[in-house]
Amino acid sequence: MSPRTTLAPFTLGGETIAPGSRRTVDLPVSVLSDHTPVNLSAHVVHGRKPGPVMFVSAAIHGDEVIGVEIVRRLLRAAPINRLSGTLIAVPIVNSFGFLNQSRYLPDRRDLNRCFPGHERGSLAARLAQLFMSEVVARCDVGIDLHSAAVGRDNLPQIRLTPGSKRLRELGDAFAAPVTMISKVREGSLRLSAGEAGVDVLLYEAGEGLRFDEFAARAGVAGILRVMEKLEMIGQRGVPKARGLSVFCDNSGWVRAPTGGLLRTLKACGDWVEAGNVLGLVSDPFGENESELLAEFDGIVVGRTNLPVVNEGDALFHIAEPALKKHAEAAAEEGFDAHHDGQPLFDEDEII
């Protein structure tokens, strides 16, 4: 970084943000069929002193509203007022899906499979290209916020790109209840950003179209701890990690052996051992009942909330810790204290 004591103005979308100031910038995306304009809105907080440029994004999938709440709280956190460097916060990347309470864009494309995008491509490709060129390309690091799909719940967790020492350090600083290795997918933001030299942490927590206080607090606290690690903010006002972050390098789903009504016996954050009963699937007459058994020791990091299931539905997501004793200790303490393995599937791939 330059030895200057103050930063030069920051430019985004043709607008100039002076050092020590903040502004919301609207980047035009499209015009709807009824002539309503659609923007990609980014709030820029530009510090007085040099430091990294970081983006925090949410609602790449329009139904993942918990990230929008996390960004809202982050922008009102006191440490942000003493920022070194620059923060670009984009609470709603996929405005189309957000307004329609849908994961996808109007053409049914998944935005997180359309990066890096193309300025003359589909609507999703054009939005992806705009986000990459105007936001990601200006940054050194990013945090992308996600949740489970509607009807599912995720324990707050950080997912890391395999083989990145820097991301492992930032993931440790975030200190989510669980940290997992997750291979990147073709067309994903993480892959395209990584190829552009921008490291991205992926935060998963909560359920689609639902607010979750635990997920929101863990998300805001984790982002602030990463910013402290990057020396963008000082220690004052940054919550300390109060629990163990359990590192997991393998995970698997327990699926419904038959269709019926599900009664769950385990919740997100529970420690389970191989052979433990996770839940029961019964037919509506109660004549037949099947047990769902854990196949290995681990932590429940994801679970369906829907009682009606079909054969083959993914019901419980179990993560296997690298160090079992740390996981058992964290589970006994309770995860609420936290305010290259097999691939982790996205929500549209596990159903």
Side-chain angles (χ1 to χ4, degrees):
M1 295 298 298
S2 168
R4 294 174 299 170
T5 57
T6 58
L7 283 176
F10 188 84
T11 302
L12 180 67
E15 296 197 31
T16 300
I17 298 91
S21 66
R22 54 200 295 171
R23 182 183 304 172
T24 298
V25 178
D26 292 329
L27 305 171
V29 174
S30 178
V31 177
L32 299 181
S33 56
D34 67 349
H35 201 61
T36 300
V38 178
N39 296 316
L40 176 69
S41 298
H43 190 83
V44 180
V45 184
H46 192 41
R48 295 185 180 277
K49 297 181 180 180
V53 181
M54 184 176 85
F55 76 83
V56 177
S57 58
I60 278 183
H61 297 127
D63 60 352
E64 296 178 348
V65 299
I66 186 63
V68 183
E69 173 65 6
I70 290 171
V71 173
R72 185 192 70 80
R73 296 187 187 193
L74 174 68
L75 291 175
R76 283 155 180 76
I80 301 300
N81 297 324
R82 303 182 296 273
L83 185 71
S84 295
T86 306
L87 171 67
I88 307 176
V90 185
I92 304 170
V93 179
N94 179 4
S95 296
F96 304 94
F98 183 81
L99 291 173
N100 292 313
Q101 299 184 12
S102 169
R103 178 181 178 86
Y104 305 105
L105 281 95
D107 58 5
R108 294 296 296 168
R109 281 183 170 87
D110 183 336
L111 181 58
N112 210 27
R113 292 294 176 272
C114 296
F115 287 95
H118 195 284
E119 61 183 3
R120 294 188 300 276
S122 67
L123 176 61
R126 295 178 187 216
L127 177 55
Q129 190 275 336
L130 178 69
F131 185 67
M132 284 291 299
S133 61
E134 291 290 343
V135 177
V136 177
R138 286 176 160 78
C139 297
D140 303 299
V141 65
I143 300 178
D144 191 28
L145 308 174
H146 289 263
S147 76
V150 175
R152 298 181 182 275
D153 191 21
N154 277 339
L155 181 73
Q157 59 198 255
I158 280 291
R159 297 186 177 183
L160 304 178
T161 303
S164 174
K165 180 180 178 181
R166 186 187 187 211
L167 281 176
R168 179 62 191 272
E169 292 174 348
L170 295 179
D172 289 343
F174 195 109
V178 170
T179 301
M180 308 177 72
I181 295 296
S182 171
K183 293 181 180 179
V184 292
R185 290 288 192 274
E186 191 68 30
S188 68
L189 171 62
R190 279 200 299 154
L191 177 61
S192 295
E195 291 175 344
V198 182
D199 291 319
V200 176
L201 289 173
L202 189 151
Y203 177 68
E204 281 274 3
E207 179 184 351
L209 297 181
R210 295 288 185 273
F211 277 1
D212 182 302
E213 188 63 23
F214 177 31
R217 290 186 180 185
V220 175
I223 294 170
L224 291 174
R225 288 193 287 265
V226 170
M227 296 181 75
E228 180 190 357
K229 174 73 174 180
L230 294 171
E231 298 183 348
M232 297 179 72
I233 58 176
Q235 295 182 353
R236 186 162 54 122
V238 177
K240 301 299 181 183
R242 294 183 291 167
L244 295 170
S245 182
V246 181
F247 182 78
C248 299
D249 53 8
N250 182 45
S251 72
W253 280 91
V254 177
R255 294 181 177 272
T258 184
L261 303 177
L262 171 66
R263 288 172 287 152
T264 56
L265 303 178
K266 298 294 181 180
C268 284
D270 285 351
W271 171 260
V272 297
E273 297 183 347
N276 283 173
V277 179
L278 306 173
L280 303 166
V281 178
S282 306
D283 66 66
F285 304 101
E287 295 174 348
N288 298 294
E289 189 169 79
S290 300
E291 293 182 338
L292 301 171
L293 304 179
E295 298 179 1
F296 51 83
D297 297 355
I299 302 163
V300 179
V301 295
R303 198 197 75 172
T304 182
N305 292 327
L306 301 177
V308 180
V309 301
N310 294 305
E311 182 174 346
D313 283 355
L315 304 182
F316 289 89
H317 190 190
I318 312 297
E320 188 173 17
L323 294 174
K324 179 179 176 181
K325 62 180 181 180
H326 287 173
E328 290 178 309
E332 289 178 2
E333 181 180 295
F335 282 116
D336 284 345
H338 285 268
H339 276 288
D340 241 316
Q342 294 180 2
L344 294 176
F345 297 109
D346 282 351
E347 298 304 320
D348 55 346
E349 297 172 314
I350 61 175
I351 295 174

